[in-house]
Every structure is written in C-alpha cells, then in structure tokens.
Coordinates of all heavy atoms in Angstrom, one line a residue:
M1 N 0.8 -1.2 0.0 CA 0.0 0.0 0.0 C 0.9 1.2 0.0 O 1.8 1.4 0.8 CB -0.9 0.0 1.2 CG -1.8 1.1 1.4 SD -2.9 0.8 2.8 CE -3.9 2.2 2.7
P2 N 0.7 2.2 -0.9 CA 1.5 3.4 -1.0 C 1.3 4.3 0.2 O 0.2 4.3 0.8 CB 1.1 4.0 -2.3 CG -0.2 3.5 -2.6 CD -0.3 2.1 -2.0
P3 N 2.3 5.0 0.6 CA 2.0 6.0 1.7 C 1.1 7.1 1.4 O 0.8 7.3 0.2 CB 3.4 6.5 2.0 CG 4.2 6.3 0.7 CD 3.6 5.1 0.1
F4 N 0.5 7.6 2.4 CA -0.5 8.7 2.2 C 0.3 9.9 1.5 O 1.4 10.1 1.8 CB -1.1 9.2 3.5 CG -2.1 8.2 4.1 CD1 -1.8 7.7 5.3 CD2 -3.3 7.9 3.4 CE1 -2.7 6.8 5.9 CE2 -4.1 7.0 4.0 CZ -3.8 6.4 5.2
P5 N -0.4 10.7 0.7 CA 0.2 11.9 0.2 C 0.5 12.9 1.4 O -0.1 12.8 2.4 CB -0.8 12.5 -0.7 CG -1.8 11.4 -1.0 CD -1.7 10.5 0.2
T6 N 1.4 13.8 1.1 CA 1.9 14.7 2.2 C 0.7 15.5 2.8 O 0.6 15.6 4.0 CB 3.0 15.6 1.6 OG1 4.0 14.9 1.1 CG2 3.5 16.6 2.7
A7 N -0.2 16.0 2.0 CA -1.3 16.8 2.4 C -2.2 15.9 3.4 O -2.7 16.4 4.4 CB -2.1 17.3 1.3
T8 N -2.4 14.7 3.0 CA -3.2 13.8 3.8 C -2.5 13.5 5.2 O -3.2 13.5 6.2 CB -3.5 12.5 3.1 OG1 -4.1 12.8 1.9 CG2 -4.4 11.6 3.9
R9 N -1.2 13.3 5.2 CA -0.5 13.1 6.4 C -0.6 14.3 7.3 O -0.8 14.2 8.5 CB 1.0 12.8 6.1 CG 1.2 11.4 5.6 CD 2.7 11.0 5.6 NE 3.3 12.0 4.7 CZ 4.1 11.6 3.7 NH1 4.4 10.3 3.6 NH2 4.7 12.5 2.9
R10 N -0.5 15.5 6.7 CA -0.6 16.7 7.5 C -2.0 16.8 8.2 O -2.2 17.2 9.3 CB -0.3 17.9 6.7 CG 1.1 18.1 6.4 CD 1.3 19.4 5.6 NE 2.7 19.5 5.2 CZ 3.1 20.0 4.0 NH1 2.2 20.5 3.2 NH2 4.4 20.0 3.7
R11 N -3.0 16.5 7.4 CA -4.4 16.6 7.9 C -4.6 15.5 9.0 O -5.2 15.8 10.0 CB -5.4 16.3 6.8 CG -5.7 17.5 5.9 CD -6.9 17.3 5.0 NE -6.5 18.0 3.7 CZ -6.2 17.3 2.6 NH1 -6.3 16.0 2.5 NH2 -5.9 18.0 1.5
L12 N -4.1 14.3 8.9 CA -4.2 13.3 9.9 C -3.4 13.8 11.2 O -3.9 13.6 12.3 CB -3.6 12.0 9.4 CG -4.5 11.2 8.4 CD1 -3.7 10.0 7.8 CD2 -5.8 10.8 9.0
A13 N -2.2 14.3 11.0 CA -1.5 14.8 12.2 C -2.3 15.9 12.9 O -2.4 15.9 14.1 CB -0.1 15.3 11.7
L14 N -2.8 16.8 12.1 CA -3.6 17.9 12.7 C -4.9 17.3 13.4 O -5.2 17.8 14.6 CB -4.1 18.9 11.7 CG -4.9 20.1 12.1 CD1 -4.2 20.9 13.2 CD2 -5.3 21.0 11.0
A15 N -5.5 16.3 12.9 CA -6.7 15.7 13.5 C -6.3 15.0 14.8 O -7.0 15.1 15.8 CB -7.3 14.7 12.5
H16 N -5.1 14.4 14.8 CA -4.6 13.7 16.0 C -4.4 14.8 17.1 O -4.7 14.6 18.3 CB -3.3 12.9 15.8 CG -3.6 11.6 15.1 ND1 -3.0 11.3 13.9 CD2 -4.3 10.6 15.5 CE1 -3.4 10.1 13.6 NE2 -4.2 9.6 14.5
I17 N -3.7 15.9 16.7 CA -3.5 16.9 17.7 C -4.8 17.5 18.3 O -4.9 17.7 19.5 CB -2.6 18.1 17.1 CG1 -1.2 17.5 16.8 CG2 -2.6 19.3 17.9 CD1 -0.4 18.4 15.9
L18 N -5.7 17.7 17.4 CA -7.0 18.3 17.9 C -7.7 17.3 18.8 O -8.3 17.7 19.8 CB -7.9 18.6 16.7 CG -7.4 19.8 15.8 CD1 -8.3 20.0 14.6 CD2 -7.4 21.1 16.7
V19 N -7.7 16.0 18.5 CA -8.3 15.0 19.4 C -7.6 15.0 20.8 O -8.3 15.0 21.8 CB -8.3 13.6 18.7 CG1 -8.6 12.5 19.7 CG2 -9.2 13.6 17.6
L20 N -6.3 15.1 20.7 CA -5.5 15.1 22.0 C -5.8 16.3 22.8 O -6.0 16.3 24.0 CB -4.0 15.0 21.8 CG -3.6 13.6 21.2 CD1 -2.1 13.7 20.8 CD2 -3.8 12.5 22.2
L21 N -5.9 17.5 22.2 CA -6.3 18.7 22.9 C -7.7 18.6 23.4 O -7.9 19.0 24.6 CB -6.1 19.9 21.9 CG -4.7 20.4 21.6 CD1 -4.7 21.4 20.5 CD2 -4.0 20.8 22.9
A22 N -8.6 18.2 22.7 CA -10.0 18.0 23.2 C -10.1 17.1 24.4 O -10.8 17.4 25.3 CB -10.9 17.6 22.0
A23 N -9.3 16.0 24.3 CA -9.3 15.0 25.4 C -8.7 15.7 26.7 O -9.2 15.5 27.8 CB -8.5 13.8 25.0
G24 N -7.7 16.5 26.5 CA -7.0 17.2 27.6 C -8.0 18.2 28.2 O -8.0 18.4 29.5
L25 N -8.8 18.9 27.4 CA -9.7 19.9 28.0 C -10.8 19.2 28.7 O -11.4 19.9 29.6 CB -10.2 20.7 26.8 CG -9.2 21.6 26.2 CD1 -9.8 22.3 25.0 CD2 -8.6 22.6 27.1
A26 N -11.1 18.0 28.4 CA -12.2 17.3 29.1 C -11.8 16.8 30.5 O -12.7 16.4 31.3 CB -12.7 16.1 28.2
L27 N -10.5 16.7 30.8 CA -10.1 16.2 32.1 C -10.4 17.2 33.2 O -10.3 18.4 33.0 CB -8.6 15.9 32.0 CG -8.1 14.8 31.1 CD1 -6.6 14.8 31.0 CD2 -8.7 13.5 31.5
P28 N -10.7 16.7 34.4 CA -10.9 17.6 35.5 C -9.6 18.3 35.9 O -8.5 17.8 35.7 CB -11.4 16.7 36.6 CG -10.9 15.4 36.3 CD -10.8 15.3 34.8
A29 N -9.7 19.5 36.4 CA -8.6 20.3 36.9 C -7.9 19.5 38.0 O -8.6 19.0 38.9 CB -9.0 21.7 37.3
P30 N -6.6 19.6 38.2 CA -6.0 18.9 39.3 C -6.3 19.7 40.6 O -6.6 20.9 40.6 CB -4.5 19.1 39.0 CG -4.4 20.2 38.0 CD -5.7 20.2 37.3
A31 N -6.3 18.9 41.7 CA -6.6 19.5 43.0 C -5.5 20.5 43.4 O -4.4 20.3 43.0 CB -6.8 18.4 44.0
P32 N -5.9 21.6 44.1 CA -4.9 22.5 44.5 C -3.9 21.8 45.5 O -4.3 20.9 46.2 CB -5.6 23.6 45.2 CG -7.0 23.1 45.4 CD -7.2 21.9 44.5
A33 N -2.7 22.3 45.5 CA -1.7 21.7 46.3 C -2.0 22.0 47.8 O -2.5 23.1 48.1 CB -0.3 22.3 46.0
Q34 N -1.9 21.0 48.6 CA -2.1 21.1 50.1 C -0.9 21.8 50.7 O 0.2 21.4 50.4 CB -2.4 19.8 50.7 CG -3.7 19.1 50.1 CD -4.9 19.8 50.5 OE1 -5.0 20.4 51.6 NE2 -5.9 19.9 49.6
P35 N -1.1 22.7 51.7 CA 0.1 23.2 52.3 C 0.8 22.1 53.1 O 0.1 21.2 53.7 CB -0.5 24.3 53.3 CG -1.9 23.9 53.4 CD -2.3 23.2 52.2
G36 N 2.1 22.2 53.2 CA 2.8 21.3 54.0 C 2.7 21.5 55.5 O 2.1 22.5 55.9
P37 N 3.3 20.6 56.3 CA 3.2 20.8 57.7 C 4.0 22.0 58.2 O 4.9 22.4 57.4 CB 3.8 19.5 58.3 CG 4.6 19.0 57.2 CD 4.0 19.4 55.9
P38 N 3.7 22.6 59.3 CA 4.4 23.7 59.8 C 5.9 23.4 60.0 O 6.3 22.3 60.3 CB 3.7 24.2 61.1 CG 3.0 23.0 61.5 CD 2.7 22.2 60.2
A39 N 6.7 24.4 59.9 CA 8.2 24.2 60.1 C 8.4 23.8 61.6 O 7.7 24.2 62.5 CB 8.9 25.5 59.8
L40 N 9.5 23.0 61.7 CA 9.8 22.6 63.1 C 10.9 23.5 63.7 O 11.7 24.0 63.0 CB 10.4 21.1 63.0 CG 9.4 20.1 62.6 CD1 10.2 18.7 62.4 CD2 8.3 19.9 63.6
A41 N 10.9 23.5 65.0 CA 11.9 24.3 65.7 C 13.2 23.5 65.6 O 13.2 22.3 65.4 CB 11.5 24.4 67.2
P42 N 14.4 24.2 65.7 CA 15.6 23.5 65.7 C 15.7 22.4 66.8 O 15.0 22.5 67.8 CB 16.7 24.6 66.0 CG 16.0 25.9 65.7 CD 14.5 25.6 65.9
Q43 N 16.4 21.3 66.5 CA 16.6 20.2 67.4 C 15.3 19.5 67.7 O 15.0 19.0 68.7 CB 17.2 20.7 68.7 CG 18.5 21.4 68.6 CD 19.6 20.5 68.2 OE1 19.7 19.3 68.6 NE2 20.5 21.0 67.4
T44 N 14.4 19.5 66.7 CA 13.0 18.9 66.8 C 12.9 17.8 65.7 O 13.3 18.0 64.6 CB 11.9 19.9 66.7 OG1 12.2 20.9 67.7 CG2 10.6 19.4 66.9
A45 N 12.1 16.8 66.0 CA 11.8 15.8 65.0 C 10.3 15.6 65.0 O 9.6 15.7 66.0 CB 12.5 14.4 65.4
R46 N 9.8 15.3 63.8 CA 8.4 14.9 63.6 C 8.3 13.5 63.2 O 8.9 13.1 62.2 CB 7.7 15.8 62.6 CG 6.3 15.5 62.3 CD 5.7 16.4 61.2 NE 5.5 17.7 61.7 CZ 6.0 18.8 61.1 NH1 6.7 18.7 60.0 NH2 5.9 20.0 61.6
L47 N 7.6 12.7 63.9 CA 7.4 11.3 63.5 C 5.9 11.0 63.1 O 5.0 11.5 63.8 CB 7.8 10.3 64.7 CG 9.2 10.5 65.2 CD1 9.4 9.7 66.4 CD2 10.2 10.2 64.1
H48 N 5.7 10.3 62.1 CA 4.4 9.9 61.7 C 4.3 8.4 61.9 O 5.0 7.6 61.3 CB 4.1 10.2 60.2 CG 4.1 11.7 59.9 ND1 3.0 12.4 60.0 CD2 5.1 12.5 59.6 CE1 3.3 13.7 59.7 NE2 4.6 13.8 59.5
Y49 N 3.3 8.0 62.7 CA 3.1 6.6 63.0 C 1.6 6.3 62.9 O 0.8 7.0 63.6 CB 3.7 6.2 64.4 CG 3.4 4.8 64.8 CD1 4.1 3.8 64.1 CD2 2.6 4.5 65.8 CE1 3.9 2.4 64.5 CE2 2.4 3.2 66.2 CZ 3.0 2.1 65.5 OH 2.8 0.8 65.9
H50 N 1.2 5.4 62.1 CA -0.2 5.2 61.8 C -0.6 3.7 62.2 O 0.1 2.8 61.7 CB -0.6 5.4 60.4 CG -2.0 5.1 60.0 ND1 -3.0 5.9 60.4 CD2 -2.5 4.1 59.4 CE1 -4.2 5.3 60.0 NE2 -3.9 4.2 59.4
R51 N -1.6 3.6 63.0 CA -2.1 2.2 63.3 C -3.5 2.2 62.7 O -4.3 3.0 63.0 CB -2.2 2.0 64.8 CG -0.8 2.0 65.5 CD -0.8 1.7 66.9 NE -1.4 0.4 67.3 CZ -0.8 -0.8 67.2 NH1 0.4 -0.8 66.8 NH2 -1.5 -1.9 67.5
P52 N -3.7 1.2 61.8 CA -5.0 1.2 61.0 C -6.2 1.2 61.9 O -7.2 1.8 61.5 CB -4.9 -0.1 60.2 CG -3.4 -0.4 60.1 CD -2.8 0.2 61.4
R53 N -6.2 0.6 63.0 CA -7.4 0.6 63.9 C -7.4 1.8 64.9 O -8.3 2.0 65.6 CB -7.4 -0.6 64.7 CG -7.6 -1.9 63.8 CD -7.8 -3.1 64.7 NE -7.9 -4.2 63.8 CZ -7.7 -5.5 64.2 NH1 -7.4 -5.8 65.4 NH2 -7.9 -6.5 63.3
G54 N -6.4 2.7 64.8 CA -6.3 3.8 65.7 C -6.1 3.5 67.2 O -6.4 4.3 68.0
D55 N -5.6 2.3 67.5 CA -5.4 1.9 68.9 C -4.0 2.3 69.3 O -3.1 1.5 69.3 CB -5.7 0.4 69.0 CG -4.9 -0.4 68.1 OD1 -4.4 0.1 67.1 OD2 -4.9 -1.6 68.3
Y56 N -3.9 3.5 69.8 CA -2.6 4.0 70.2 C -2.4 3.9 71.8 O -1.3 4.2 72.3 CB -2.4 5.4 69.8 CG -2.4 5.6 68.3 CD1 -3.6 6.0 67.7 CD2 -1.3 5.4 67.6 CE1 -3.6 6.2 66.3 CE2 -1.3 5.5 66.2 CZ -2.4 5.9 65.6 OH -2.4 6.1 64.2
E57 N -3.4 3.5 72.5 CA -3.2 3.4 73.9 C -2.2 2.3 74.3 O -2.1 1.2 73.7 CB -4.6 2.9 74.6 CG -4.6 3.1 76.1 CD -6.0 2.8 76.7 OE1 -6.9 3.1 76.0 OE2 -6.0 2.3 77.8
G58 N -1.3 2.7 75.2 CA -0.2 1.9 75.6 C 1.0 1.9 74.7 O 2.0 1.3 75.0
W59 N 1.0 2.7 73.6 CA 2.1 2.9 72.7 C 2.7 4.2 73.0 O 2.1 5.2 73.3 CB 1.7 2.8 71.3 CG 1.2 1.4 70.9 CD1 0.0 0.9 71.1 CD2 2.0 0.4 70.3 NE1 0.0 -0.4 70.6 CE2 1.2 -0.7 70.1 CE3 3.3 0.4 69.8 CZ2 1.7 -1.9 69.5 CZ3 3.8 -0.8 69.3 CH2 3.0 -1.9 69.1
G60 N 4.1 4.3 72.9 CA 4.8 5.5 73.1 C 6.1 5.5 72.4 O 6.6 4.4 72.0
L61 N 6.8 6.6 72.4 CA 8.1 6.7 71.7 C 9.2 6.5 72.8 O 9.2 7.2 73.9 CB 8.3 8.1 71.1 CG 9.6 8.4 70.5 CD1 9.8 7.4 69.3 CD2 9.7 9.8 70.0
H62 N 10.1 5.6 72.6 CA 11.2 5.4 73.5 C 12.4 6.1 73.0 O 12.8 6.0 71.8 CB 11.5 3.9 73.6 CG 10.3 3.1 74.3 ND1 10.2 3.0 75.6 CD2 9.2 2.6 73.7 CE1 9.1 2.3 75.9 NE2 8.5 2.1 74.8
T63 N 13.1 6.9 73.9 CA 14.3 7.6 73.6 C 15.4 7.3 74.5 O 15.1 6.7 75.6 CB 14.0 9.1 73.6 OG1 13.6 9.4 75.0 CG2 12.9 9.6 72.7
W64 N 16.6 7.5 74.1 CA 17.7 7.2 75.0 C 19.0 7.9 74.5 O 19.0 8.6 73.4 CB 18.0 5.7 75.1 CG 18.2 5.1 73.7 CD1 19.5 4.9 73.2 CD2 17.3 4.6 72.8 NE1 19.3 4.3 71.9 CE2 18.0 4.1 71.7 CE3 15.9 4.5 72.8 CZ2 17.3 3.5 70.6 CZ3 15.3 3.9 71.7 CH2 16.0 3.5 70.6
D65 N 20.1 7.8 75.2 CA 21.4 8.3 74.8 C 21.4 9.7 74.4 O 21.6 10.1 73.2 CB 22.0 7.4 73.7 CG 22.4 6.0 74.2 OD1 22.5 5.9 75.5 OD2 22.6 5.1 73.4
G66 N 21.1 10.7 75.3 CA 21.3 12.1 75.0 C 20.0 12.8 74.5 O 20.0 13.9 74.1
A67 N 18.9 12.1 74.4 CA 17.6 12.7 74.0 C 17.2 13.8 75.0 O 17.6 13.7 76.2 CB 16.5 11.7 73.9
A68 N 16.5 14.8 74.6 CA 16.1 15.9 75.5 C 15.2 15.3 76.6 O 15.2 15.8 77.7 CB 15.4 17.0 74.7
K69 N 14.4 14.3 76.2 CA 13.6 13.6 77.2 C 13.8 12.1 77.1 O 13.2 11.5 76.4 CB 12.1 13.9 76.9 CG 11.7 15.4 77.1 CD 10.2 15.5 76.9 CE 9.8 17.0 77.1 NZ 8.4 17.2 76.8
E70 N 14.8 11.7 77.9 CA 15.0 10.2 77.9 C 13.9 9.5 78.6 O 13.2 10.1 79.5 CB 16.4 9.9 78.6 CG 17.5 10.4 77.7 CD 18.9 9.9 78.3 OE1 18.9 8.9 79.0 OE2 19.9 10.6 78.0
T71 N 13.6 8.3 78.2 CA 12.5 7.5 78.8 C 13.0 6.2 79.4 O 14.0 5.7 79.0 CB 11.4 7.2 77.8 OG1 12.0 6.4 76.7 CG2 10.8 8.5 77.2
A72 N 12.3 5.7 80.4 CA 12.5 4.4 80.8 C 12.0 3.4 79.8 O 11.0 3.7 79.1 CB 11.9 4.2 82.2
W73 N 12.5 2.2 79.7 CA 12.1 1.3 78.7 C 10.6 0.9 78.8 O 9.9 0.7 77.8 CB 13.0 0.0 78.7 CG 12.6 -0.8 77.5 CD1 12.0 -2.0 77.6 CD2 12.8 -0.5 76.1 NE1 11.8 -2.5 76.3 CE2 12.3 -1.6 75.4 CE3 13.3 0.6 75.4 CZ2 12.3 -1.6 74.0 CZ3 13.3 0.5 74.0 CH2 12.8 -0.6 73.3
N74 N 10.1 0.9 80.0 CA 8.7 0.5 80.2 C 7.7 1.7 80.2 O 6.6 1.6 80.4 CB 8.6 -0.2 81.5 CG 8.9 0.6 82.7 OD1 9.5 1.7 82.6 ND2 8.6 0.2 83.9
A75 N 8.2 2.9 79.8 CA 7.3 4.1 79.8 C 7.8 5.1 78.7 O 8.6 5.9 79.0 CB 7.3 4.8 81.2
G76 N 7.3 4.9 77.5 CA 7.6 5.8 76.4 C 6.9 7.1 76.5 O 6.0 7.3 77.3
L77 N 7.4 8.1 75.7 CA 6.7 9.4 75.6 C 5.3 9.2 75.0 O 5.1 8.4 74.0 CB 7.5 10.3 74.7 CG 8.9 10.7 75.2 CD1 9.6 11.5 74.1 CD2 8.8 11.5 76.4
P78 N 4.3 9.8 75.5 CA 2.9 9.6 75.0 C 2.7 10.3 73.6 O 3.5 11.2 73.2 CB 2.1 10.3 76.1 CG 2.9 11.3 76.7 CD 4.3 10.8 76.6
V79 N 1.7 9.8 72.9 CA 1.3 10.3 71.6 C 0.8 11.7 71.9 O 0.0 12.0 72.8 CB 0.3 9.4 71.0 CG1 -0.2 10.0 69.7 CG2 0.8 8.0 70.7
T80 N 1.2 12.7 71.0 CA 0.8 14.1 71.2 C -0.1 14.6 70.0 O -0.5 15.8 70.1 CB 2.0 15.0 71.4 OG1 2.8 15.0 70.3 CG2 2.7 14.7 72.7
G81 N -0.3 13.9 69.0 CA -1.0 14.4 67.9 C -1.8 13.4 67.2 O -2.0 12.3 67.6

C-alpha cells in the first residue's frame, strides 16, 4: 500500500493533535496543592506513625542516649498528635 500523500499526512497529524487537545480539555482540573506541615523548631523531630485501627493506647516513643527527654524502657513518651 503506498504511503499517504503529504497533504493527507498533515491533515491526519492535525486531526490527532485536535483530538488530544480536546481530550485534555475534558479532564478535570488537578486539585490545588495542600500546604505542608508547619516548620519545626531546631533540634526537633516529627514522627508519623499510623495504626490502622487507631489503637494507640499503651504505645509511646522510646528515647535514649542524649535525648532531650530520655525515657525508661517501660514508659515511652505519650502520643501528642
């Protein structure tokens, strides 16, 4: 089968571009960016820990060796957020 004439190829390319543009216009606008978490003070850490059932009772953060608030192994820092 011989290739399409140049004019036909141009029309097909233009048709493809128009279809792609139309498809792009039909897409919903992206959601606005969410602001990030607030900045932390120096010498501060933020930890994210998620339990699917939300059962955080009895769980805490254990720190040692020079932490600002060292904990005993049987009593971690409580959840604050």
Side-chain angles (χ1 to χ4, degrees):
M1 179 174 183
F4 291 115
T6 302
T8 302
R9 282 192 299 232
R10 286 186 188 142
R11 281 191 218 108
L12 287 172
L14 180 60
H16 283 122
I17 291 170
L18 292 174
V19 167
L20 292 173
L21 285 173
L25 293 175
L27 295 174
Q34 297 293 323
L40 294 175
Q43 304 289 325
T44 304
R46 177 182 291 126
L47 303 174
H48 294 270
Y49 178 66
H50 175 73
R51 294 183 59 81
R53 294 183 183 163
D55 53 343
Y56 297 98
E57 190 172 330
W59 289 84
L61 177 66
H62 293 273
T63 61
W64 59 92
D65 292 341
K69 294 183 181 180
E70 290 188 25
T71 60
W73 186 247
N74 62 347
L77 295 173
V79 176
T80 60

